[in-house]
Amino acid sequence: MVATLTPRRSASAAPGERHLTVYRPAPPTRRPRPDALAPVVRLRPRLDPAVYRRRRLLAGGLLLLAVAAVLIFAQLIQAGIGGGPLPTTGAAATSAGPMIQAGARQYVVRPGDTVWSIANALDHGGDERPLVDALVKELHGATLYPGQVVTLPAGS
């Protein structure tokens, strides 16, 4: 116990009168014994092998999804940066343009065009396969871009 003598602050107290206040200490806390601090090892029962198999399949599927997401994200970044041919204008376009043979046909690629749709537009009603082969040979397997000028040899 702790006792302190403090001046009394009531209206009926005489000046200089003191008051004795008694404080009780908080009860002592119990500390665990040192051997009780040792970690408790609890063994869990072993799970069924089917549970482990399902967990491995789930982890593999999530890994595949993550790899696919990274690849798609990389493609989107590459598409946002660019990847198509840069258009040229002015004198550079005329001087650096391809040499066109006499009697050759040209076609300006529009959005959504394919090699087959271009062959159909240039050769109405006939067999389009030779023209498609000539287009593929002319493009060397490159992708078509809107605004690109495709030149066909005169014989096709």
Side-chain angles (χ1 to χ4, degrees):
M1 285 189 161
V2 176
T4 59
L5 206 53
T6 58
R8 189 159 190 143
R9 301 203 187 252
S10 67
S12 63
E17 186 177 336
R18 295 192 167 203
H19 177 70
L20 180 64
T21 308
V22 178
Y23 295 100
R24 286 191 180 167
T29 58
R30 290 187 55 192
R31 293 187 180 208
R33 296 189 322 250
D35 59 338
L37 296 177
V40 178
V41 178
R42 294 185 183 146
L43 297 176
R44 290 189 310 203
R46 187 158 173 83
L47 295 177
D48 189 32
V51 173
Y52 289 114
R53 193 175 312 118
R54 283 192 302 261
R55 286 182 181 175
R56 282 193 298 268
L57 284 173
L58 178 66
L62 290 175
L63 180 66
L64 285 175
L65 281 175
V67 168
V70 167
L71 291 176
I72 290 172
F73 187 67
Q75 288 291 328
L76 290 175
I77 289 176
Q78 184 180 8
I81 292 173
L86 296 174
T88 56
T89 58
T94 57
S95 64
M99 299 296 291
I100 301 173
Q101 299 173 0
R105 295 184 284 182
Q106 289 185 330
Y107 182 83
V108 178
V109 178
R110 288 177 266 159
D113 276 346
T114 63
V115 177
W116 285 94
S117 66
I118 294 171
N120 189 18
L122 295 176
D123 189 20
H124 300 292
D127 188 16
E128 300 162 349
R129 289 178 290 181
L131 189 53
V132 168
D133 291 338
L135 280 170
V136 170
K137 186 176 180 182
E138 179 71 26
L139 295 171
H140 304 290
T143 306
L144 293 173
Y145 295 99
Q148 181 180 1
V149 178
V150 177
T151 306
L152 296 175
S156 19

